[in-house]
DNA sequence: GAATCGCATAAGTACGTGCTTATGTGTTCG
DNA sequence: CGAACACATAAGCACGTACTTATGCGATTC
C-alpha cells in the first residue's frame, strides 16, 4: 500500500508548502526553513516523511544535505490518478496540454 | 486551501477503498458496505468527508442515496499534479497513453 | 399512521500525528 | 582535537481523527 505514503505525506499543509518550495528549486534543510516559522526538528521530521513517500530525495553535500523533488513520487500519484481516467472531465485542459508536450 | 480536502480525504485507506469501489460503479451507501466490515455510521462519515472533498457526489433516490465519483475532485488533483510537470519522469507512460486517448 | 428501512448526526473514546525540548551524529574549521 | 555547524533522532505532550453506541430524520410499506 504505497499510496498510503504519498497521500498521507501531502495531507499536511506544511509538508505541501515544503514540497512546493523544493519544486521551485532544490535546497538544503536550513534554506527551506527561511521564512517558514518552523523549528529545525519539525522540518527534519517533515522531510523524513516526504522522503519515505518518495516525494523528495536527499544528497549529502559536505555538512549540508541538499533536498530535491523526487520524480518517483509524482509518478506514483500520476499512476494512481490514471486509474480513474474514465471519470476525468473534459475540462482537464492542463493535463491534455502536458501530455502533448510529453509526446513531442 | 481546497487541496487540503482531497489529500486529507484520500490519506485514509478505508476512504480510498470506498472511492475505488465507487469508481467501479455508482451505488448506495448500503451496497458500499457489503464485504467491507465497516459500520453504517462509519461509512456515512467517510462519505461525508469524500463529499466535502468533491471526490464523490450524492443523489437521493427514494429512501436510498446513490453515490458516484465526482469528476471535480479528480480534476483538482490533476491540476495540482500539473503544477509539477517539470519533474515528471519520462517513464510516465501511463499518462502519455491516456492523454493520447483524450486528444482523439 | 405506525412500523420499518436507509441514512445522517451526536457524543464519547482510543489512537495517530505534529509539535516541542533535549540530545546524538557527522562534517568542517581553527 | 575541540568547538561550531547542519541535521537527525528521542521522548513527551496537545490535538485531530476514525471509530463506537445511541439517536434522529426522511421515505416507504403495510
Amino acid at each position: 500500500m504505497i499510496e498510503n505514503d504519498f497521500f498521507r505525506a501531502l495531507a499536511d499543509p506544511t509538508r505541501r508548502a515544503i514540497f512546493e518550495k523544493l519544486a521551485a528549486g532544490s535546497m538544503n534543510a536550513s534554506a527551506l526553513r527561511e521564512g517558514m516559522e518552523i523549528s529545525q526538528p519539525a522540518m527534519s521530521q517533515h522531510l523524513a516523511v516526504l522522503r519515505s513517500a518518495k516525494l523528495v530525495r536527499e544528497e549529502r553535500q559536505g555538512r549540508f544535505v541538499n533536498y530535491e523533488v523526487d520524480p518517483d513520487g509524482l509518478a506514483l500519484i500520476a499512476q494512481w490518478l490514471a486509474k480513474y481516467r474514465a471519470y476525468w472531465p473534459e475540462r482537464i485542459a492542463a493535463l491534455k496540454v502536458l501530455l502533448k508536450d510529453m509526446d513531442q
Side-chain angles (χ1 to χ4, degrees), chain A:
Chain A
M1 193 79 77
I2 185 93
E3 305 163 351
N4 224 340
D5 291 335
F6 58 78
F7 278 129
R8 233 181 43 73
L10 292 171
D12 182 70
T14 303
R15 275 194 292 269
R16 282 202 307 279
I18 294 170
F19 181 79
E20 205 154 331
K21 208 164 178 180
L22 277 179
S26 63
M27 62 184 84
N28 59 53
S30 297
L32 273 171
R33 284 185 59 205
E34 286 172 14
M36 278 204 71
E37 287 205 27
I38 184 174
S39 71
Q40 181 269 316
M43 173 60 77
S44 186
Q45 287 162 15
H46 281 308
L47 287 171
V49 173
L50 288 169
R51 218 183 314 132
S52 71
K54 295 201 181 302
L55 284 165
V56 147
R57 60 188 175 196
E58 58 168 274
E59 185 186 358
R60 261 259 165 205
Q61 285 182 355
R63 62 181 168 185
F64 294 84
V65 177
N66 202 275
Y67 279 93
E68 62 181 359
V69 169
D70 186 347
D72 284 358
L74 291 173
L76 290 170
I77 299 177
Q79 282 169 16
W80 181 90
L81 191 61
K83 288 194 299 180
Y84 306 104
R85 65 178 180 281
Y87 293 97
W88 288 8
E90 309 301 331
R91 57 193 148 83
I92 303 190
L95 268 184
K96 281 190 185 178
V97 171
L98 280 173
L99 292 214
K100 265 187 195 162
D101 287 349
M102 294 179 72
D103 279 341
Q104 285 175 357

